[in-house]
Amino acid sequence: AATDLLSGPDAVSPPPKSWSFHCEMPSGAAEGAAVAVDDVGNAYVAGSIKGDTDVLCGKHLKIKGDYDALLLKLSPTGEVLWAKTFGGPGMDAARAVATAPNGAIYLAGHFSGVAAFGANRTFDSGSEGALDGFIMRLDEHGGVSWVRQAHGQLDQKILAVAADESGVTIGGWYEGKTLELRNANGDAKKTLTKTMAHDKDLFVAKYDDAGAPRWLTGASGNKNDAIEALALGVGGRVYAAGYFNSSTLQAGSLSFSLTLNIEEPELSRDAIVLALDSQGAISGGVSFGGAGPEEAHGVVVGPMGAPIVTGWSQSDEVSLAGKSLEGKGLDDLFVVKLSADAKRVDRAWMVGS
């Protein structure tokens, strides 16, 4: 059944392998977390790096702390064009990258303590060890156009980005009672506020191309919830995929109940996909899960405008919007195609052994 993904209106033919990339470091370590490709075939690799080296892939850089955020640009033939690092003495990392048709590159992640993002752009996450999110816009040469901070009482991470000509959408999680999206002056321009501080709550937000925060939307529960992937649809619609292990997740007017594992409740975790309109209002969504944990980690929009979601499952059987999937083994891969409004499951596959 998995071969059906290569046929029909949403089929995508895999491109032939044209190059491979490998870069040794004299000391330390580097990790790739995400990749994006622009309209002419340049690849942007986001991740983190540590060590005392000042050269990576033949490009000079400066590592400032335990881990720094890293961005590499590779040509369509795999040549490293430039390498950039951002951060400070703490633990910093890039977790997501996206390109826009107007040539903008958006890099997102988190930092701890005082961190630098280009000349005269320094941010402080507050208390020692606290994590704040960052989102930055760069040009094709690696020049920093702007940087913005996501700040709160405790930790927050930006794990996903999606971009077009109008700006960039971000998603992730935050702890504590508040989350602030700050502008260029460091002032909070969009804020989420809760009456109670839970473990982790998910959020999705939009910045315009000039770096102004346009909207901020959250969903609240009593445990750990997060957005791991984003995709943009027709008319400014946003699809946000992730997971929740709150007993009930309240997302706008929608409520999602966790599939509870009675014998081992700590394993309970369901995948979720939300649809938001161009103003950030949640307009649809589905969740799916079984006795074991499920998480959604990727989402794309097919040629017909329908979101296609992938992730992993550890359940013998997964229930999703009136359909069921049988697990194949301990860790299985699922692919789910939804309706464009994210209110219906059209097709679903489970792949494993």
Side-chain angles (χ1 to χ4, degrees):
T3 56
D4 292 344
L5 289 171
L6 303 179
S7 62
D10 292 306
V12 177
S13 299
K17 179 180 177 181
S18 57
W19 53 263
S20 61
F21 170 72
H22 176 70
C23 184
E24 293 185 356
M25 294 179 59
S27 64
E31 176 182 313
V35 63
V37 180
D38 63 22
D39 290 343
V40 297
N42 296 304
Y44 300 86
V45 182
S48 58
I49 186 171
K50 73 171 183 176
D52 55 7
T53 182
D54 59 357
V55 177
L56 178 67
C57 311
K59 303 300 178 182
H60 289 275
L61 46 77
K62 184 177 181 181
I63 301 175
K64 306 173 184 66
D66 290 339
Y67 276 93
D68 280 0
L70 173 68
L71 181 63
L72 296 176
K73 180 178 181 179
L74 284 72
S75 74
T77 59
E79 176 190 1
V80 178
L81 299 178
W82 47 255
K84 302 288 182 180
T85 57
F86 308 98
M91 301 288 287
D92 316 310
R95 293 292 305 272
V97 62
T99 62
N102 60 5
I105 302 115
Y106 294 98
L107 183 71
H110 58 267
F111 68 96
S112 175
V114 178
F117 299 87
N120 302 317
R121 293 181 173 92
T122 301
F123 297 91
D124 191 344
S125 66
S127 60
E128 184 178 355
L131 296 176
D132 271 6
F134 72 85
I135 174 68
M136 58 193 305
R137 184 191 191 277
L138 302 95
D139 61 31
E140 61 181 333
H141 305 293
V144 178
S145 303
W146 53 258
V147 189
R148 299 293 183 265
Q149 180 181 10
H151 180 73
Q153 291 178 314
L154 300 174
D155 290 347
Q156 34 277 319
K157 286 187 177 183
I158 301 173
L159 303 175
V161 294
D164 60 14
E165 297 93 334
S166 67
V168 61
T169 304
I170 62 174
W173 57 260
Y174 71 104
E175 297 175 320
K177 291 184 179 181
T178 60
L179 173 67
E180 300 173 352
L181 298 187
R182 296 184 169 181
N183 64 9
N185 298 322
D187 301 323
K189 287 301 181 182
K190 298 292 180 182
T191 304
L192 279 176
T193 302
K194 300 177 293 185
T195 57
M196 295 181 63
H198 306 303
D199 290 345
K200 295 176 184 175
D201 282 331
L202 63 84
F203 73 91
V204 183
K206 172 71 179 285
Y207 286 86
D208 66 21
D209 189 54
R214 290 306 182 189
W215 51 259
L216 172 60
T217 301
S220 184
N222 61 343
K223 290 289 186 179
N224 293 309
D225 318 312
I227 293 301
E228 294 276 351
L230 294 167
L232 302 182
V234 177
R237 180 176 278 164
V238 178
Y239 299 103
Y243 64 87
F244 70 101
N245 80 333
S246 297
S247 56
T248 301
L249 181 70
Q250 192 65 40
S253 62
L254 303 178
S255 181
F256 300 91
S257 297
L258 182 68
T259 307
L260 186 63
N261 184 323
I262 302 299
E263 296 180 356
E264 298 180 274
E266 68 277 3
L267 294 180
S268 301
R269 189 156 66 249
D270 284 0
I272 190 166
V273 185
L274 299 173
L276 300 88
D277 65 22
S278 60
Q279 301 304 308
I282 297 173
S283 57
V286 296
S287 65
F288 36 95
E294 279 74 41
E295 293 186 5
H297 281 265
V299 58
V300 297
V301 177
M304 304 302 290
I308 302 170
V309 184
T310 189
W312 58 264
S313 167
Q314 292 184 353
S315 297
D316 293 332
E317 185 178 11
V318 176
S319 175
L320 59 165
K323 301 180 185 294
S324 63
L325 289 176
E326 181 181 350
K328 309 296 183 182
L330 179 60
D331 289 287
D332 295 326
L333 177 151
F334 66 77
V335 181
V336 178
K337 179 184 176 185
L338 304 177
S339 58
D341 58 8
K343 296 180 179 180
R344 184 183 70 249
V345 174
D346 285 344
R347 302 176 76 181
W349 302 263
M350 189 78 83
V351 182
S353 61

